[in-house]
């Protein structure tokens, strides 16, 4: 676990500069898919999309409502990661995507950030009454699999989609009332 205090914050206008830096770091590392950020090229478009996807009334057909947070340290001078929680599963997410997608900035990997980010967002799920959570990862993403298992993930199965094999883990949590 990191020695600094980490917490989740909802993306806001004040994070604009930090978001561009975070996005640039992924692109410089050759990573085009950024969980929680998608392919948005402007922060304004990113915030609009978050609002649209946060409500059952405005989410596009075939999608489910989701919430996104940034992982920040106590100084809040850098976005360390981003995490997205889908409030429910549809058939597609049940098969492949799961309920939680997360990413950690390339410069912050192997420091415990992913495990802490997942732990923090699982608390949000528990508060919402989501006590059984599906998280998936590519089989060759050993770090992500380790992060999921560290947070209680139990491997249900492996599936293949084209050339890719992915793993499906379930994390079962206790009710916040217990």
């Amino acid at each position: 676990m990191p020695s600094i205090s980490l917490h989740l914050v909802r993306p806001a206008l004040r994070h604009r500069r930090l978001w561009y830096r975070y996005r640039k770091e992924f692109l410089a590392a050759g990573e085009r898919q950024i969980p929680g950020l998608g392919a948005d090229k402007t922060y304004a478009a990113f915030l609009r999309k978050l609002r649209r996807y946060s409500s059952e009334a405005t989410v596009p057909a075939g999608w489910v409502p989701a919430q996104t947070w940034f992982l920040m340290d106590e100084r809040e001078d850098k976005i360390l990661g981003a995490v997205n929680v889908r409030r429910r599963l549809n058939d597609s997410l049940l098969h492949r995507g799961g309920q939680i997608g997360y990413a950690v900035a390339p410069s912050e990997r192997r420091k415990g950030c992913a495990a802490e980010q997942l732990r923090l967002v699982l608390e949000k799920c528990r508060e919402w009454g989501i006590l059984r959570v599906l998280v998936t990862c590519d089989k060759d993403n050993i770090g992500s699999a380790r992060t999921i298992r560290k947070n209680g993930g139990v491997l249900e199965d492996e599936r293949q989609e084209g050339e890719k094999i992915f793993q499906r883990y379930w994390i079962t949590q206790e009710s916040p009332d217990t």
Side-chain angles (χ1 to χ4, degrees):
M1 181 143 350
S3 59
I4 57 174
S5 175
L6 301 180
H7 59 279
L8 298 177
V9 298
R10 296 297 307 269
L13 286 174
R14 71 181 187 276
H15 301 119
R16 181 182 177 277
R17 178 183 53 81
L18 301 176
W19 180 86
Y20 280 107
R21 223 183 323 159
Y22 180 72
R23 183 179 179 277
K24 183 177 179 181
E25 186 174 335
F26 278 91
L27 297 175
E31 299 180 34
R32 300 292 177 235
Q33 291 290 55
I34 308 170
L37 299 188
D40 292 312
K41 291 183 174 43
T42 69
Y43 192 61
F46 170 70
L47 289 178
R48 279 192 304 273
K49 184 169 69 178
L50 290 186
R51 279 191 300 279
R52 183 174 174 213
Y53 282 68
S54 68
S55 166
E56 195 73 56
T58 57
V59 71
W63 293 78
V64 301
Q67 300 294 318
T68 299
W69 293 269
F70 291 145
L71 180 70
M72 310 281 288
D73 66 16
E74 65 263 4
R75 296 178 311 272
E76 293 197 14
D77 60 352
K78 182 178 182 183
I79 298 170
L80 307 176
V83 60
N84 180 275
V85 176
R86 295 113 188 163
R87 299 290 290 251
R88 61 179 168 78
L89 292 168
N90 60 17
D91 289 341
S92 176
L93 293 171
L94 182 61
H95 170 68
R96 174 67 169 108
Q99 282 175 277
I100 298 175
Y102 58 89
V104 172
S107 65
E108 300 300 325
R109 293 177 183 160
R110 299 193 167 141
K111 297 179 182 180
C113 291
E116 182 64 3
Q117 180 172 242
L118 183 55
R119 185 191 72 75
L120 290 168
V121 85
L122 285 168
E123 288 178 8
K124 302 280 187 198
C125 290
R126 190 177 308 111
E127 290 169 11
W128 294 336
I130 304 171
L131 302 179
R132 190 162 185 255
V133 181
L134 177 64
V135 185
T136 68
C137 67
D138 290 343
K139 183 176 182 171
D140 61 0
N141 191 339
I142 296 165
S144 190
R146 188 177 312 127
T147 293
I148 296 165
R149 288 192 305 268
K150 184 175 183 173
N151 278 281
V154 176
L155 180 66
E156 179 178 66
D157 61 17
E158 293 182 347
R159 297 183 181 185
Q160 188 161 354
E161 208 170 72
E163 297 292 315
K164 283 283 195 189
I165 297 174
F166 61 93
Q167 299 177 321
R168 298 172 67 251
Y169 291 87
W170 287 96
I171 300 172
T172 303
Q173 307 185 92
E174 291 186 19
S175 169
D177 301 331
T178 57

